[in-house]
Amino acid sequence: MIAEIITIPGIILILGAFILPLLPEKLRSTVFLIFPIAALAVIFGRPDGYEVSGSLAGLELVLMQVDSLSRLFGIIFAATALIAGIYAWHIKELGQQLAALVYAGGAIGVTYAGDFFTLLVFWELMAVSSTWLVWARRTAESDAAGMRYLIFHVLGGGILLAGILWHLASTGSIAITMFSDLESTAAILMLIGVAINAAVIPLHAWLPDAYPKATITGAVFMSAFTTKSAVYVLIRVFPGWELLTWFGVAMAIYGVLYAVICKDMREILAYHIVSQVGFMVAGIGVGTEMALNGSAAHAYSHILYKSLMFMGAGAVLYATGTTKLVELGGLKKKMRWTMLLYMVGAFSISGLPLFNGFISKAMTVDAAGYAGNETVMLLLILAGVGTFLSVGLKLPYFTWFDKEDTDIEVQPLPVNMYIAMGMAAFLCIFYGLFPNTLYIYLPFETDYQPFTVYHFVEITQIALLTFAGFWLYRKKLAGERILALDVDWFYRVPAPFFRRVFVNAIDDLFDWTEKTVHNFAIRISGQFNNPMEWLNPFSKKEHQARTYSPPMDVIMVFVLFVTLIFGLFLIL
Amino acid sequence: MKNWQWIVLGILFLTTIVLEFTVLADYDSHWWNAIPAFYAIWGFLSCLAIIYVAKFISKNIVKRDPDYYDR
């Protein structure tokens, strides 16, 4: 039983967080990598239908349940934890290493959870541990953003818990099931809780707020786990909810519009996560086998290339100290390898043939078309144009090109960063060339063929003309110093007012009460510290305590004695 | 961008047009397959629309100074 529990892939990583602090600092970064590898080994070793269950307070818990969908997400989460661990190998800070392990463990735990309570526990672990990756940056900005992030996710977890409890009360079961479209209020509450983690607009503002302020390595972990574990839950529990289609399309377009507006590398990439998750959410809304396959495959591909791009942006931040496009440009000579590796990610995300975005994005978009939803298909293609425009052209152009050279000082990168980026880039190309190596792991069997003349014509025409449009209007997209308002305006602007009313005012009241009571006590004790002044008020002489000691003792003993007698009398 | 790069891209584009009229000539699973070079047109229009809409939103609604929330 114990052996089964500690070999649950999510638990392996979380246990790692207990083992790591016991080791000498020099070994930690290397030992860190053992846990995701062990988790991967277990994931490949567990057959479909494998279950670990237990009971707690009369509830039947299923701590681990394996099927093809959970395996797919388990593989990619563990693999990303490994790659990001290599990327962060040079970081010796224990707090970040532990947070990253628990965070990855939480994400893997969610994918294998067989009941809603287990899911919720891992879910909350993710929220708390990922907050640390924002705070570890240790700037005033990241402190505040981390707190907003945490509050948002605690709220989301609370709504999810409310839905779970409601569901438990009405059905008596906490086993993870599939809900039919708008089945019950409990299901809708749970959907809202999950939608917060999936960054469904208008509940997305925590993402572009926190990710650009996280640590260089923390952002890589964050780009992979929170939103994609939410996508997993959506696929598992809410497939075919029609409203998800339209929310997904809205996210896809909203995300790219902001990715065009924003002028900071990591902010652009963060907004672009919203857009990409929109593709997945739209696929889940369509709900056919092909669409769900597409969403799952797209989540898989997305984690690879998005973490690669965040690693690239992190490398630029590490080397130059900034990610603002207005301060960058002309880095192509000084950071050639980073550029090439980033471009692999950029071509992948843009869905160009022979890269891994192509094999999953085309599937999702086509699924919408096959399901008779051609408007959705066209709008997703439009969002895809925005993808190529913002992260495939604008971001690299104003970072590495635009000028012939630059006088920015560039720090050399640690080798492990290149290795991690190289691994992610290799996988992006590998899956792009051999799509069946991914397709065999999809939840439904598929004979989908991405390499067709039709797809080649479609994607080449779109990419070429997008490039032409970018080239004509590139001046409009140049870097500038801006802050783009988003829906976080609605809570960030009134926040000082609410803080004054609900925090400062209450603090002040407590302060005032404490001070008043304290002063009162001081005055009373001042008056009564020498009882002789009261017992003998008429003498002028100074009352010194020691001169009165013996008579005082007698009086005090008498008082005590009388009190005791009265006390006994009352009791008896 | 150098001239030869533009020429490569141009040839690539012509290839897709040729393929569209030969290999895909009778392909009509979507209504827009009847329009020649539809994906090129849609791609270009989408690109312009995104640039202009983003610029419009930025300029009129969401653009602020970087220290907006700190003041």
Side-chain angles (χ1 to χ4, degrees):
Chain A
M1 184 67 200
I2 294 289
E4 280 174 343
I5 289 178
I6 59 172
T7 52
I8 293 172
I11 305 270
I12 292 177
L13 276 96
I14 293 169
L15 278 180
F18 286 94
I19 297 170
L20 219 55
L22 309 174
L23 302 172
E25 192 184 80
K26 262 190 246 164
L27 289 178
R28 280 179 200 149
S29 306
T30 314
V31 175
F32 181 103
L33 306 175
I34 292 175
F35 301 110
I37 294 174
L40 260 181
V42 172
I43 287 167
F44 279 112
R46 298 289 185 224
D48 278 5
Y50 176 86
E51 240 186 53
V52 180
S53 51
S55 65
L56 183 79
L59 286 170
E60 274 304 308
L61 300 182
V62 182
L63 302 174
M64 179 175 180
Q65 198 171 42
V66 183
D67 66 3
S68 48
L69 181 63
S70 52
R71 181 178 303 110
L72 178 78
F73 277 81
I75 292 171
I76 190 62
F77 284 152
T80 314
L82 176 64
I83 294 174
I86 294 173
Y87 185 74
W89 189 82
H90 61 284
I91 303 270
K92 299 295 172 213
E93 195 190 321
L94 184 62
Q96 280 198 60
Q97 291 170 330
L98 300 188
L101 270 181
V102 175
Y103 186 26
I108 298 174
V110 164
T111 62
Y112 281 109
D115 69 89
F116 283 119
F117 268 145
T118 309
L119 184 140
L120 186 84
V121 169
F122 285 118
W123 193 265
E124 298 286 6
L125 274 178
M126 271 167 56
V128 175
S129 52
S130 54
T131 306
W132 183 255
L133 296 176
V134 183
W135 278 339
R137 186 93 184 273
R138 298 209 164 81
T139 60
E141 215 187 9
S142 64
D143 282 357
M147 186 49 92
R148 288 193 292 274
Y149 175 87
L150 183 61
I151 291 174
F152 220 116
H153 282 283
V154 167
L155 180 74
I159 296 173
L160 179 61
L161 175 62
I164 292 172
L165 292 177
W166 193 326
H167 175 68
L168 173 65
S170 55
T171 65
S173 157
I174 53 163
I176 290 184
T177 52
M178 208 168 84
F179 291 119
S180 55
D181 203 346
L182 302 176
E183 185 178 300
S184 60
T185 321
I188 293 171
L189 274 178
M190 283 158 75
L191 178 66
I192 294 172
V194 177
I196 286 183
N197 268 26
V200 173
I201 57 170
L203 305 170
H204 68 287
W206 57 270
L207 193 157
D209 182 21
Y211 284 20
K213 289 156 196 147
T215 60
I216 292 175
T217 53
V220 179
F221 284 99
M222 297 179 86
S223 74
F225 295 135
T226 302
T227 46
K228 260 62 74 186
S229 57
V231 165
Y232 162 81
V233 177
L234 289 177
I235 298 178
R236 165 87 57 201
V237 183
F238 304 97
W241 282 45
E242 210 190 326
L243 82 169
L244 286 178
T245 312
W246 295 103
F247 272 102
V249 170
M251 284 166 76
I253 295 173
Y254 189 93
V256 291
L257 282 177
Y258 266 88
V260 172
I261 292 171
C262 288
K263 309 290 180 185
D264 177 291
M265 286 176 93
R266 296 207 296 172
E267 215 172 311
I268 295 169
L269 293 176
Y271 268 114
H272 204 268
I273 294 179
V274 176
S275 172
Q276 288 285 301
V277 174
F279 279 82
M280 301 166 210
V281 171
I284 296 164
V286 171
T288 58
E289 284 192 0
M290 183 184 178
L292 294 178
N293 263 350
S295 289
H298 203 46
Y300 192 98
S301 301
H302 171 90
I303 291 174
L304 282 175
Y305 53 65
K306 185 59 91 172
S307 57
L308 174 57
M309 297 167 93
F310 261 98
M311 288 192 267
V316 171
L317 178 57
Y318 185 96
T320 65
T322 181
T323 47
K324 299 214 175 329
L325 293 184
V326 70
E327 294 163 8
L328 295 165
L331 279 173
K332 67 173 175 233
K333 284 185 187 142
K334 291 182 171 166
M335 299 192 73
R336 182 177 301 276
W337 281 103
T338 308
M339 176 190 80
L340 290 174
L341 291 164
Y342 174 90
M343 286 317 290
V344 172
F347 287 148
S348 300
I349 204 169
S350 310
L352 300 190
L354 309 184
F355 294 96
N356 72 341
F358 179 71
I359 65 168
S360 56
K361 190 181 196 168
M363 199 177 196
T364 316
V365 175
D366 279 0
Y370 283 133
N373 227 334
E374 294 188 320
T375 317
V376 171
M377 184 172 172
L378 280 180
L379 289 174
L380 288 180
I381 292 174
L382 179 142
V385 168
T387 299
F388 188 41
L389 178 69
S390 57
V391 298
L393 294 170
K394 175 185 107 169
L395 191 156
Y397 182 80
F398 289 106
T399 306
W400 286 284
F401 299 96
D402 195 28
K403 293 180 265 185
E404 262 314 297
D405 208 343
T406 172
D407 46 10
I408 301 178
E409 248 181 67
V410 175
Q411 306 288 332
L413 296 179
V415 182
N416 56 294
M417 278 189 167
Y418 286 115
I419 295 174
M421 287 192 278
M423 284 170 74
F426 168 78
L427 287 174
C428 284
I429 297 171
F430 175 80
Y431 283 115
L433 295 175
F434 308 106
N436 278 325
T437 49
L438 172 61
Y439 290 168
I440 52 167
Y441 284 105
L442 292 181
F444 303 102
E445 261 183 50
T446 176
D447 53 357
Y448 183 73
Q449 183 46 257
F451 298 122
T452 60
V453 176
Y454 186 86
H455 278 143
F456 173 76
V457 168
E458 170 188 346
I459 197 70
T460 312
Q461 289 191 355
I462 290 172
L464 284 175
L465 270 292
T466 306
F467 181 74
F470 167 76
W471 197 257
L472 288 174
Y473 292 96
R474 64 187 189 281
K475 293 274 178 297
K476 283 188 179 298
L477 301 173
E480 51 186 333
R481 285 174 206 285
I482 69 159
L483 179 147
L485 297 184
D486 200 341
V487 289
D488 56 347
W489 184 86
F490 290 102
Y491 55 83
R492 288 178 74 172
V493 167
F497 170 75
F498 283 102
R499 189 172 308 125
R500 222 171 300 141
V501 174
F502 291 107
V503 181
N504 296 1
I506 290 172
D507 273 359
D508 288 348
L509 178 68
F510 272 89
D511 271 3
W512 177 84
T513 316
E514 192 181 326
K515 240 177 251 160
T516 315
V517 170
H518 200 191
N519 287 344
F520 183 69
I522 288 173
R523 198 163 321 139
I524 296 285
S525 65
Q527 289 294 333
F528 289 96
N529 68 352
N530 191 345
M532 280 318 290
E533 282 179 14
W534 292 80
L535 291 173
N536 191 4
F538 304 109
S539 88
K540 288 272 189 279
K541 73 172 181 185
E542 190 136 329
H543 299 288
Q544 295 235 340
R546 62 189 157 77
T547 56
Y548 287 103
S549 280
M552 232 15 224
D553 288 351
V554 173
I555 294 171
M556 291 321 273
V557 167
F558 182 70
V559 169
L560 273 175
F561 183 71
V562 171
T563 315
L564 238 140
I565 294 293
F566 267 97
L568 279 175
F569 182 73
L570 279 175
I571 291 169
L572 298 171
Chain B
M1 289 286 284
K2 299 187 182 75
N3 275 336
W4 67 266
Q5 290 166 325
W6 285 113
I7 292 169
V8 170
L9 295 183
I11 292 171
L12 201 55
F13 182 64
L14 286 179
T15 317
T16 65
I17 298 287
V18 171
L19 282 174
E20 200 182 327
F21 281 94
T22 53
V23 182
L24 300 177
D26 54 351
Y27 195 93
D28 63 344
S29 80
H30 303 298
W31 59 261
W32 57 78
N33 291 125
I35 305 169
F38 172 81
Y39 285 115
I41 298 165
W42 183 250
F44 192 67
L45 290 181
S46 302
C47 182
L48 293 198
I50 288 170
I51 292 176
Y52 275 99
V53 172
K55 267 280 145 194
F56 178 83
I57 295 173
S58 173
K59 203 184 262 173
N60 295 300
I61 309 172
V62 301
K63 187 172 153 180
R64 293 290 185 281
D65 284 332
D67 62 347
Y68 175 76
Y69 285 119
D70 305 325
R71 273 176 294 171

